[in-house]
Amino acid sequence: MKRLYLIISTVLLAGVASAQNELYNNRAILHINTGCVVTVNGSLTTLSSGGFTNNGTLTVTGNITNNQMMLVPNNGTLEFTGSTAQSVNGAARYFAKNVVINNAAGVTLNTTLDVDGLVTFTNGIVTTNSEAMVFTTNATVAREKNA
């Protein structure tokens, strides 16, 4: 049986990409360019050994597990668009520029979500448990409808 091993050292996304079930980043450098949209039809996991930069739009329908230290928010947008409850998990805080909550089933924060730009509440409720959604001095909030 032939096996093909692909080691990705750098992934530069220049258009629209879609991943199925889970995007698992273990040692790769994942960079979403300005104007690009990446849709993960499932969960996103980033390990401490991987690199991640979002200057475009990342849409996730599943859970996010972040184990990578994120020191800056980059310039992109993180969209929660699942049809079942979603969560943010992991050993490290997730730092985003803009966040869109568009999931009627809601989003639960099991690790801190730092936001440095616009948070848009389109549909759904954010449950914080022992963690929090932290708004920097640059952050603002928009509500599109009662959720």
Side-chain angles (χ1 to χ4, degrees):
M1 175 195 299
K2 283 183 144 181
R3 290 189 177 183
L4 175 64
Y5 292 97
L6 177 63
I7 299 173
I8 302 173
S9 61
T10 302
V11 177
L12 295 176
L13 301 171
V16 176
S18 183
Q20 297 298 316
N21 300 320
E22 181 174 21
L23 177 58
Y24 190 83
N25 183 9
N26 180 18
R27 291 186 255 177
I29 297 171
L30 178 60
H31 182 88
I32 303 172
N33 288 328
T34 302
C36 296
V37 176
V38 174
T39 300
V40 180
N41 292 317
S43 297
L44 168 68
T45 300
T46 58
L47 298 184
S48 60
S49 57
F52 179 66
T53 304
N54 181 13
N55 288 321
T57 300
L58 173 63
T59 301
V60 179
T61 64
N63 300 324
I64 293 177
T65 302
N66 181 52
N67 295 309
Q68 174 194 345
M69 181 64 70
M70 301 177 97
L71 302 175
V72 295
N74 306 123
N75 291 310
T77 299
L78 171 63
E79 296 182 347
F80 293 92
T81 61
S83 57
T84 60
Q86 292 178 265
S87 63
V88 179
N89 311 292
R93 301 163 79 112
Y94 192 100
F95 202 170
K97 181 68 173 183
N98 303 306
V99 175
V100 175
I101 307 295
N102 190 10
N103 180 343
V107 176
T108 300
L109 301 181
N110 296 316
T111 194
T112 300
L113 175 61
D114 293 299
V115 182
D116 189 54
L118 177 64
V119 179
T120 304
F121 292 95
T122 303
N123 195 5
I125 294 174
V126 175
T127 304
T128 58
N129 291 329
S130 63
E131 297 298 331
M133 181 180 285
V134 176
F135 296 85
T136 68
T137 57
N138 298 323
T140 58
V141 175
R143 186 181 73 184
E144 293 189 10
K145 73 180 225 180
N146 290 332

